[in-house]
Amino acid sequence: LRTAAVVLAAGSGKRMESSTKKQYMLIAGKPVIYYSLKTFQESFVDEIVLVVSPGDAMYCKKEIVEKYGFSKVQHIVEGGKERYHSVAIGLDSISSCDFVFIHDGARPVVTEDILERALCCVREYEACVVGMPVKDTIKIADREGNIASTPERKLVWTIQTPQAFALPLIKGAYQNLLQKEKELLKAGISVTDDAMVIETLTGHPVRLVEGSYENIKITTPEDIQIAEHLLLHK
Ligand code: CTP
Ligand code: MG
């Protein structure tokens, strides 16, 4: 059984409003993406593809991959404009494996337990995403800013990464996505996660598996402090 990970770090971090891209901001002296790479390096995963912004590959190779001895990082590739472009490019450099874990490099608090749960789940269902049931009640708004409806809380989950898939299933879905990109854009569908690609382009069900409330994504400035606290007390 061979597994690979695609770790995404090719975003520009607009919502962080920082001069250093969020994936390279320091938490306890190490860049944000160090933490998830370390978790994958020490896990059952066999190979890692790191997807970075054009121009960042040399910095990542020298200052992160070589410096910290992440020997499982076998490719560092340049990502694309949207997250799904970066994923498609990452998937292209994976050769032969059974399952692939797609992970946001901006989620440093992922743990080996989460990876184990996702592995167990993907082996059974071929497609799964980690997430957590919401704690707050969620409302769906209308375009005017009024409440349109209230989904049943126990059926609402927030979605995290990793998202894990059988390789042929996810590769096929992404190829299909890129072929239909124009139509989807016209229909106003914006693809923000990998499960959506499976949902929209295949009939394959995607299983939800428990991540953790601590597996946050670094998005805005306060998230750096929260992640630092979580990582130091892990
Ligand atoms: N990502 C990527 N390629 C892109 C866009 C995003 O590899 N073209 C990665 C980011 O680096 C991040 C993950 O996908 O690890 C989740 O994306 P997000 O949190 O939205 O990061 P950014 O797009 O960088 O941030 P923002 O949306 O605020 O600009
Ligand atoms: Mg983004």
Side-chain angles (χ1 to χ4, degrees), residues 137-190:
T137 294
I138 301 294
K139 301 284 183 187
I140 307 297
D142 64 18
R143 307 263 165 221
E144 283 70 52
N146 296 314
I147 292 171
S149 65
T150 307
E152 192 182 336
R153 195 177 62 197
K154 66 170 190 280
L155 298 181
V156 181
W157 287 56
T158 55
I159 293 311
Q160 309 173 346
T161 68
Q163 309 199 355
F165 308 92
L167 186 67
L169 177 67
I170 192 74
K171 269 202 169 177
Y174 266 95
Q175 275 161 8
N176 208 338
L177 173 76
L178 295 182
Q179 277 162 15
K180 294 191 176 145
E181 193 175 7
K182 281 212 182 93
E183 288 165 49
L184 292 168
L185 286 175
K186 240 188 230 158
I189 297 170
S190 63

Side-chain angles (χ1 to χ4, degrees), residues 1-74:
L1 192 84
R2 235 188 112 73
T3 58
V6 173
V7 175
L8 298 168
S12 53
K14 286 195 199 72
R15 287 168 290 178
M16 184 59 80
E17 298 182 332
S18 150
S19 55
T20 305
K21 284 177 207 154
K22 65 182 183 181
Q23 53 273 40
Y24 307 131
M25 288 171 81
L26 299 183
I27 297 182
K30 300 200 170 79
V32 164
I33 57 165
Y34 158 86
Y35 294 94
S36 54
L37 288 173
K38 183 170 192 285
T39 302
F40 280 104
Q41 172 74 28
E42 292 174 355
S43 76
F44 54 81
V45 163
D46 298 293
E47 71 175 273
I48 303 168
V49 176
L50 177 59
V51 187
V52 303
S53 302
D56 291 351
M58 203 35 96
Y59 163 79
C60 287
K61 181 174 185 292
K62 292 263 174 301
E63 295 304 318
I64 298 167
V65 174
E66 288 176 2
K67 181 168 175 181
Y68 297 106
F70 294 142
S71 55
K72 290 183 182 175
V73 176
Q74 290 175 3

Side-chain angles (χ1 to χ4, degrees), residues 217-232:
K217 180 160 65 71
I218 307 275
T219 307
T220 51
E222 64 275 11
D223 296 329
I224 290 284
Q225 266 73 53
I226 299 168
E228 180 157 67
H229 176 86
L230 293 168
L231 287 163
L232 293 176

